[in-house]
Amino acid sequence: MAADRPTRHTVSDLAEERVDHRFKSLPPDAEGLTVGALAAERRNLFTGGFTTPVLALSAESVEHNLALLETYAERHGLLFAPHGKTSMSPQLFADQLERGAWGITAAVPHQARVYRAYGIQRIFLANEVVDAVALRWLAGELAADPEFRFVCYVDSVRGVELMDEALSAAGAVRPVDVVVELGAGEGARTGARTGADCAAVADAVAAAGTLRLVGVAGYEGEVPEASPERVREWLRRLVALAGDFDKAGRFTGCDEIMISAGGSAWFDAVADVFAEIPELSLPVLKLLRSGAYVSHDDGHYKRLTPFNRVPGEGTLQPAFRIWAQVVSRPTGEQAFLNAGKRDAAYDLDLPEAQVVRSGRDGSVRPATGITVTGLSDQHTWVRTEPGAELEVGDWVGMGLSHPCTSFDKWQLIPLVTADGTVTDYIRTFF
């Protein structure tokens, strides 16, 4: 297995990639430069040759958000493995790891392959893996690198059987660490629904020679009709399940017991309930998995962030802004921009017009009286109120909702300081 192991990349390798037609909105005259060379030119987003639409990440806001979750986790005695599906960016993963992250969370095997290509040594995959080809690859990774730590969900007896069959066929030499996923309730997403169901899955793991039970986990964001009380009730069920498994001796051979939860909407409840975890027979690894915090947003997570409930803990800053130009002003009440569904997240909320940059003199003003009403594939529909200043050629800066569907539309995203200077380019792999 080890003979087929691919060469690992580093984040610094990304700077050697050549800029060309694959990357939207980058300056045409940068064709052929390396990403590192282009970054070194410190071009201005508005005057440096970028074409519209263009998505930008605020350098200051990203740095602020990275620091905030690091200090939050430390304050509450949590480890964190931010969900990498949000950005799929090795550069941001490196920043998160430097800021104290235990590892990076994945949702599917392809994401784990990207992580391993860039040397991520701890991966928590928040799903059950039953794909035999993916499990064969995983067995090879574990055999080739004794320092590689991988943990994934199990939530069914059949899933455990499929994992054991595939890993046995692959000649796995190290067991795969698994956590039993507790479902968030009837009508929720994945996960074993009852304590008896969880015990049956744990029994199947114990009977499988290729798996090792190391803890319990779940996702509180799927609790039906979620409220602080309902979420905390479910989290206490998760903690009680770990305690029951511990009393039954199910974690024999482990050095610690992993208990993991925590999306981006309820990590305050996770912190509160995990602080109450009673003493178990082994040390407890309390793992938070929030991922959207790195960029935050101007919509969904702006409304849902736990920091709204605990403002004394800090405040996340929206880091995304997409800039598009007015390409049509057919009436005094309507305008069209040159960004659309291929460029901007729209699955949860439409973009929010925030500022206008004059196409005549570059002056910036609030987008007063300007509202986004819809998106076509390549157009933003805008309604303007009487007196709103907007003409063809103006740039409109818009905030976005839902980071996960913002990152995935762009392969190379300018990292921009407040004065418009582009200091780096964030590479994504979706």
Side-chain angles (χ1 to χ4, degrees), residues 14 47 106 109 134 137 145 180 228 231 235 278 296 299 363 369 377:
L14 296 171
T47 61
W137 168 82
D145 186 355
V180 171
V231 169
L235 287 164
H296 197 46
S363 60
D377 280 354

Side-chain angles (χ1 to χ4, degrees), residues 246-262:
D246 188 37
K247 290 176 184 175
R250 294 189 183 277
F251 300 122
T252 302
C254 297
D255 298 323
E256 60 192 5
I257 298 169
M258 178 179 287
I259 305 179
S260 178

Side-chain angles (χ1 to χ4, degrees), residues 83 106-113 125-127 129:
H83 211 316
V108 293
H110 162 71
Q111 293 168 358
R113 287 186 61 202
L125 199 152
N127 233 330
V129 181

Side-chain angles (χ1 to χ4, degrees), residues 396-407:
V396 179
M398 295 174 284
L400 298 174
S401 181
H402 199 189
C404 299
T405 50
S406 298
F407 276 106

Side-chain angles (χ1 to χ4, degrees), residues 146-321:
E147 302 302 314
F148 174 39
R149 178 85 193 273
F150 178 91
V151 182
C152 72
Y153 283 176
V154 286
D155 81 343
S156 66
V157 171
R158 178 57 178 157
V160 169
E161 292 172 350
L162 289 170
M163 292 182 74
D164 189 43
E165 290 172 6
L167 290 167
S168 295
V173 296
R174 287 176 59 194
V176 171
D177 287 347
V178 296
V179 290
V180 171
E181 181 193 6
L182 174 66
E186 291 302 320
R189 203 163 62 187
T190 54
R193 293 301 196 249
T194 68
D197 292 338
C198 290
V201 175
D203 286 341
V205 171
T210 60
L211 304 176
R212 182 178 70 153
L213 184 65
V214 299
V216 299
Y219 175 48
E220 75 291 340
E222 286 294 316
V223 170
E225 299 177 10
S227 66
E229 295 74 22
R230 285 177 176 269
V231 169
R232 284 174 171 80
E233 178 184 358
W234 178 81
L235 287 164
R236 291 188 179 100
R237 283 185 60 205
L238 182 69
V239 169
L241 179 65
D244 291 344
F245 279 7
D246 188 37
K247 290 176 184 175
R250 294 189 183 277
F251 300 122
T252 302
C254 297
D255 298 323
E256 60 192 5
I257 298 169
M258 178 179 287
I259 305 179
S260 178
S264 295
W266 293 103
F267 55 74
D268 59 330
V270 174
D272 290 346
V273 174
F274 280 15
E276 303 168 356
I277 294 176
E279 185 174 349
L280 301 180
S281 66
L282 294 167
V284 177
L285 193 162
K286 306 172 186 180
L287 192 65
L288 187 69
R289 304 193 308 273
S290 311
Y293 80 96
V294 68
S295 66
H296 197 46
D297 72 6
D298 278 295
H300 184 69
Y301 286 108
K302 183 178 181 179
R303 295 189 295 270
L304 295 184
T305 177
F307 288 116
N308 291 338
R309 295 185 291 269
V310 288
E313 298 266 19
T315 303
L316 291 169
Q317 297 177 0
F320 271 130
R321 179 168 283 173

